[in-house]
Amino acid sequence: MSLVLNEEQVFLKDSAKKFASEKTPTTHFREVRDSEIDNCYDDKIWQEMVSLGWTGILVPEEFGGSNFGVAGISSILEELGRTLTPSPLFSTAVVGVSLIKHASDDVKKDILTKVVQDGLRLCFAIEESNHHDPVKISCEAKKDGSNFIISGEKSFVIDGGFSDKVIVACRTSGEEGSKDGLSLFVLDSDSKGLTITATKMVDSRNAANMKFENVKIPSEKLIGKENDAYEIIESVLDISRAAISAEMLGSALQAYQITLDYLKEREQFGSKIGSFQALQHRAAIMFSELELCKSCVIESITSFDEGGNDSERLASLSKAKVGEVFHLISNESVQMHGGIGVTDEYDIGLYLKRARVAEQIFGDSNFHKNRYAELTGY
Amino acid sequence: MSLVLNEEQVFLKDSAKKFASEKTPTTHFREVRDSEIDNCYDDKIWQEMVSLGWTGILVPEEFGGSNFGVAGISSILEELGRTLTPSPLFSTAVVGVSLIKHASDDVKKDILTKVVQDGLRLCFAIEESNHHDPVKISCEAKKDGSNFIISGEKSFVIDGGFSDKVIVACRTSGEEGSKDGLSLFVLDSDSKGLTITATKMVDSRNAANMKFENVKIPSEKLIGKENDAYEIIESVLDISRAAISAEMLGSALQAYQITLDYLKEREQFGSKIGSFQALQHRAAIMFSELELCKSCVIESITSFDEGGNDSERLASLSKAKVGEVFHLISNESVQMHGGIGVTDEYDIGLYLKRARVAEQIFGDSNFHKNRYAELTGY
Amino acid sequence: MENLDQFRKETKEWLEENCPPEMRKPMGPGDVVWGGRNCKFPHPDAKLWLERMGEKGWTCPTWPKEYGGGGLSFDENKILQEELMAIRARPALSSFGIWMLGPALLEFASEEQKKKYIPEIVKGEIRWCQGYSEPGSGSDLASLKTKAEDNGDHFIVNGQKVWTSYADDCDMIFTLVRTGPQEPKHDGISFLLIDMDQPGVTTKPIKLISGKSPFCETFFDNAIVPKENLVSELNKGWDVAKRLLQHERNMIAGMGLGGAGSAKKKKDQTISSGMATMAKTYVGEEEGKLANAGLRQKIASFDINSHAFSLTMRRASEESKSSNSGPSPASSMFKYYGSESNKLRYELMLEAMGTKALGWEGEGFGPAELAITREWLRTKANSIEGGTSEVQLNIIAKRVLDLPQ
Amino acid sequence: MENLDQFRKETKEWLEENCPPEMRKPMGPGDVVWGGRNCKFPHPDAKLWLERMGEKGWTCPTWPKEYGGGGLSFDENKILQEELMAIRARPALSSFGIWMLGPALLEFASEEQKKKYIPEIVKGEIRWCQGYSEPGSGSDLASLKTKAEDNGDHFIVNGQKVWTSYADDCDMIFTLVRTGPQEPKHDGISFLLIDMDQPGVTTKPIKLISGKSPFCETFFDNAIVPKENLVSELNKGWDVAKRLLQHERNMIAGMGLGGAGSAKKKKDQTISSGMATMAKTYVGEEEGKLANAGLRQKIASFDINSHAFSLTMRRASEESKSSNSGPSPASSMFKYYGSESNKLRYELMLEAMGTKALGWEGEGFGPAELAITREWLRTKANSIEGGTSEVQLNIIAKRVLDLPQ
């Protein structure tokens, strides 16, 4: 795997950087947050992203996408993460698109084209408890002629509160906890029997609780094979874990930069506080940790496009390491800012809030450390 | 429990402090270490300890002891720990005596009197693997008329290389790992069929491997009831864990003091290195940790004498916390000394070596964290 | 000893008679009585209870009787607290006057000032807030810029304070102001008591990352302060401040408690860790053990440190009992460890609760869960307010360890 | 590309022909060839191998041909290293001349000096040691006191160095000496090459906590050094030293590798962690997982950091490949992280092995176990030698992060 981005990826990253600094600096996030819009994103911005082709980066060219790969979309997310840009890009263009790629040709054509052209919004309903667990699934889909009937509950559905389509992981056979017997379906979010409650999270984004009460769905909406979705789920989760790590890295880098700037500017006891050795050492350690994170992220995001055979483990490496470092940096940043760090007026606290939510997306550091150990054979 | 020593205990502590500084400063340890004596302790010093009554502190008055309690002997060990004083005091006067107190009257009278008067040396053979585990016992004692026949192996027997008597934990029934079926015996170290190999540890003390090959021992040498030794073992281990924590605390305090002195004296870049804020903060954190250790140790060592009902958990608290802090301090001390810290000529490295061995005695921090959680109900 | 038994008996009787039944019920968040000119009592009994306790001086049990305090000895106060606890009596009065200003006045104020202000604090007649920090001066408190100019029989004060808790509800503020701009910075500071009921003093609440807060910014725009409101000598306010900061540190340090060690033992000797019990409900258990091994290990470490810390608080109190030395530089250790520990407690709760601890408001979360999210954010200030952790470590290094400057 | 294929082919052939079979066997601890006037070869083939490799300049493959080096490009060298690896060839020569002095001479020395010293290094004819640290100057290297006085055509050197590795077996020492006591301390230092084969130079081995060591104290008592042995200008030695220190840091940083990430993948795609495999033999496993959950968690954290670190080393090399900038201040990061990581590796091994890792000598322990105990102690010096971790963090803070002084 290459540990340096190629020209195409650098280009995408640069344009995202420009976009974030011009159109979605953190003031944009604050506007959306403090507005009456429940969605917590700005549809105008979303349409601009769509017209830049970002929703099509993982979409094959035959459906209008650019197929620029996981490293491409992740590089964009990293830059958007710097300014905490709120948008359904991750849930739609990474998670949703990667799932739909396994659907039937008809479904693919229908949905992917709309994602690329109109910014159709997708979300993935998988979690059923307060901790990520891709096999702890009891939401049931029962075959009923040429239909399936879905019953059960889902929680922490990222961007689930305002999605157009929902992709849901159900149990079609086997016990809760088993890898066998999982199936994926795609359905409209306004399907009969589906109740969606958008929850407002501490990072001001939305995640949703969903309740399926005998939701009827035709067999054509099955993604992949019945009972056999586990591999698809894990492979899509790994792509998503790598991509969200990139976004988290962007946020961590920016929180660190803001703090570094503050250390160089704030005076106490007649000196810049950045001259105090204890703070210098902590800053230097964070720098080192961030360098390690950068390597994990780039190795991980390029591994999917380059067909590496260690993608699973690299995704866990990346999510575990970046999660831990973003956690550290979000705490240290607030502390180094002192009193103003805990006021809503300053941006640094926004990164702290985002850090904890992002840590939980598709497995926290504990989960991924454990998975890394298992994949390494102990 | 009192968190302040009483007068008697303060007196014992003060006389031990005087003893350590006058008779066994670290130069004494070095002499013994570099001499040809295999025992790694000085018999003259040992006899002085005996004549001061230290071996009798846990011995009831009827056998010539003073019965001054666990807090008394532990306070002495703390002071001896400061100068890394090598002696069989811990293995004899704490572990050995506490075990023998559960023996028959005849055995008690015989052994305890000799411990108090002549400094008879005792050791406890319990471990069978490289990690402490008081129920992982397969060394077997088979009943044979009025005798038992012992077969099996023991390792890491503290001071086992030069003991007069060995107390051995055997399995008389049940499976390895079971609490039931354990029995204790006391026997002479020159018993027929017993092979003792003294090992030289990194702290220059001795621990022994023991091989029992059909060692015959009369039933009267059973301590406590057959098959029922588990409770005795755990209660003695807890006393021993508390006492060794006190010794470790003494060593940690001294290693810290040596380092603090060095920080005030060593110059680099035209300043005392103790003026560098990064080192100051690390020193201040270690100070705080040591204060916590002091509280754990005193609460734990007084709990046995005052009949507290939380002694088990306090022993684990103390061993876990002091183990971790001594670990930290031994590492930080060497680092803060720089180059001379890793030379044999300076004392600080001796504390590092001692720290790791003491950490392993009757359970490392991992073991005791786990035990603390279990005793607390999770 | 006999006297103490007698005291216990009388106290028990007095409390039985005087503590209204309503005041023995558990408190809700709105039930704190802060006193002050516009005091809001949650219940008429709360007023009665404050009056009775204030009359006896038992809102400030150990303060001298001559200024309205209870005049109790260390041991008598221990008994009083035990008996209050026994009937689960609510605190009659909570106040920064009691916790912070009072002790400083007793040590530094003139006889007239003590006579005037201490009884008001004891009875809860005046509600005080603290005006130390300024926007430019955080840890470096002495760099404060709010200035008081001599104008004959009064000072004219101009400037701004931040982090003044409850300033918008308070009657008076005790402040540090610069009176000697020419002096080296510590020597030009004075300690002033300022009445907030005047046009020259205005306040504005501060919004925190955790949401609304009791903190305010307080602005002085030609505020008038009579000269008799100067405590200690002119330009000697720093000594008062230092002592007050130690009191504040001790207050905040106490928050680090609450792990397994401080858990109450039940009669059947089961000991439980609040954290682990809570975690079990969110991650489950296997054979009695917390299901997540990594989390279990972290909670055990936390509980051990918490236990050790609470023992250390107790040891310090036992040790100081005889020497009666008051707050020492070691209080920095408690402030440091306590606030870091409290932050860690909430991080662990978040880890245990997963997505359930990440709600902000609205549906999908229980009220207790939402409260934990907010409190987690609130704890981030623990290691900043009352002197940052870094400042505490500096103090330990210099004053306790005597390391070179 | 074609040229490279051709180069690979020729290299393969040459190695096949010239690398003696004995030199393709795994090395024991005594098999390192250090070169020098009194070089001890473990086997006659080692001498042959050194002569052949030295002749081609392949002991220093990328150094210029005109001074005896191999003159290879970056890519050619990569191929050479791959081919050497493929036949498991032993290094023909290990030397501080190659690792440290040579690159500095190529950058700073005069033409005459390069012509004289570089070929000797390439061929392993002279064994060099480094004389930087002094008893009073650890991290503050520039406070060194060893002085060189001008005495016409030579200097007279007096003073003492410590931590001179293998000084007792070396022929020459490159040193920093004070030539300008009047100057500010960095400006009065010169870089001198001193022949140790003279009565004025004596050495004494240093015993470490880990036992015997290659380190020595080196004493200069009126040692004579010809003026042509001065590298760079008089009083400009600090520039040479700084560059050399960066090389040293890079060398030591490499030691932090070796966790799961750097483990070789076998054909069947199983990936293994050396640490975990080792730990399993000492603490056992349950259903394929390391039996001790706490230790498993710690090893996973370590492996993750190790993996991330090795990726970062690789990334840095890929990034610098095009820019060819040589060691940067970021090398401090590698030195810091690598040495801390290596210390942690051994602490974890001790934790896994329990009492088995605590033997010093004699019966009861395997040779590998005893070696780990010693190496654990030896790693404590990793974060001290070549600039302490604290110094590295200072450098990052100042040079990389540009934080104020």
Side-chain angles (χ1 to χ4, degrees), chain D residues 279-298:
Chain D
K280 277 181 177 178
T281 67
Y282 284 94
V283 306
E285 57 185 307
E286 283 162 15
E287 297 170 19
K289 288 188 189 178
L290 199 59
N292 180 326
L295 182 62
R296 177 170 178 268
Q297 190 85 358
K298 286 188 196 175

Side-chain angles (χ1 to χ4, degrees), chain B residues 255-268:
Chain B
Y256 181 65
Q257 189 57 51
I258 292 171
T259 305
L260 217 47
D261 291 344
Y262 187 73
L263 292 178
K264 292 177 188 178
E265 154 203 317
R266 168 78 168 172
E267 281 193 23
Q268 292 274 277

Side-chain angles (χ1 to χ4, degrees), chain A residues 321-373:
Chain A
K321 182 71 190 166
V322 177
E324 239 173 31
V325 173
F326 191 14
H327 188 103
L328 168 77
I329 285 180
S330 63
N331 279 335
E332 282 283 68
S333 294
V334 168
Q335 178 68 21
M336 287 184 177
H337 273 78
I340 62 158
V342 296
T343 62
D344 183 65
E345 197 186 336
Y346 276 73
D347 282 349
I348 199 69
L350 305 176
Y351 290 86
L352 173 67
K353 293 174 174 185
R354 177 60 185 159
R356 292 305 174 280
V357 177
E359 281 174 50
Q360 291 296 333
I361 296 175
F362 302 147
D364 64 7
S365 291
N366 241 331
F367 177 93
H368 285 290
K369 257 186 218 175
N370 193 41
R371 187 167 179 259
Y372 184 94

Side-chain angles (χ1 to χ4, degrees), chain D residues 244-304:
Chain D
L244 258 163
L245 286 173
Q246 284 181 334
H247 282 291
E248 190 179 359
R249 279 201 286 277
N250 285 338
M251 242 172 72
I252 297 173
M255 296 183 310
L257 296 169
S262 59
K264 287 270 177 300
K265 286 180 223 165
K266 294 186 200 130
K267 281 201 195 102
D268 62 356
Q269 294 305 324
T270 359
I271 309 140
S272 75
S273 149
M275 180 79 79
T277 306
M278 184 273 232
K280 277 181 177 178
T281 67
Y282 284 94
V283 306
E285 57 185 307
E286 283 162 15
E287 297 170 19
K289 288 188 189 178
L290 199 59
N292 180 326
L295 182 62
R296 177 170 178 268
Q297 190 85 358
K298 286 188 196 175
I299 291 180
S301 290
F302 176 80
D303 279 348
I304 282 173

Side-chain angles (χ1 to χ4, degrees), chain A residues 125-143:
Chain A
I126 175 165
E127 310 294 0
E128 298 189 8
S129 76
N130 51 335
H131 288 280
H132 175 62
D133 189 341
V135 293
K136 194 177 177 183
I137 288 177
S138 61
C139 178
E140 191 186 28
K142 262 193 197 160
K143 204 151 193 174

